[in-house]
Amino acid sequence: MKCKKIINELQDYLDDALDATLRSSIEEHLGRCTDCRIVVDTCKQTIDIFCNSEPAPLPLTTRQKLHEALAKRLGRARA
Ligand SMILES: [Zn+2]
């Protein structure tokens, strides 16, 4: 299995959505490819951080400000 293939299947691998054969091929590759292992570890850590943090809805004022800023920027780009 090639590194590119690992990256392609990474999302499903992390979601546990792969069949056993593909999963074991990936794990076998990760056992001997440091580059891919680093990518997988980094992705896992990122997911953990997102899952462990409380979902914080954007306050209305922040959303309005963001909207205004975007509108201004878009308006300027068009002018
Ligand atoms: Zn690799």
Side-chain angles (χ1 to χ4, degrees), residues 1-4 6 29-30 32-37:
M1 189 172 277
K2 295 237 166 63
C3 294
K4 210 178 163 205
I6 304 287
H29 180 101
L30 292 178
R32 60 190 159 78
C33 180
T34 318
D35 287 349
C36 286
R37 213 160 49 225

Side-chain angles (χ1 to χ4, degrees), residues 16-35:
D16 227 346
L18 292 177
D19 62 75
T21 318
L22 197 50
R23 193 178 176 81
S24 62
S25 326
I26 289 179
E27 270 159 10
E28 197 256 334
H29 180 101
L30 292 178
R32 60 190 159 78
C33 180
T34 318
D35 287 349

Side-chain angles (χ1 to χ4, degrees), residues 53-72:
S53 61
E54 288 290 310
L58 220 50
L60 193 61
T61 47
T62 311
R63 214 154 34 184
Q64 273 167 350
K65 272 182 198 156
L66 188 69
H67 206 255
E68 277 165 26
L70 279 174
K72 240 181 242 173

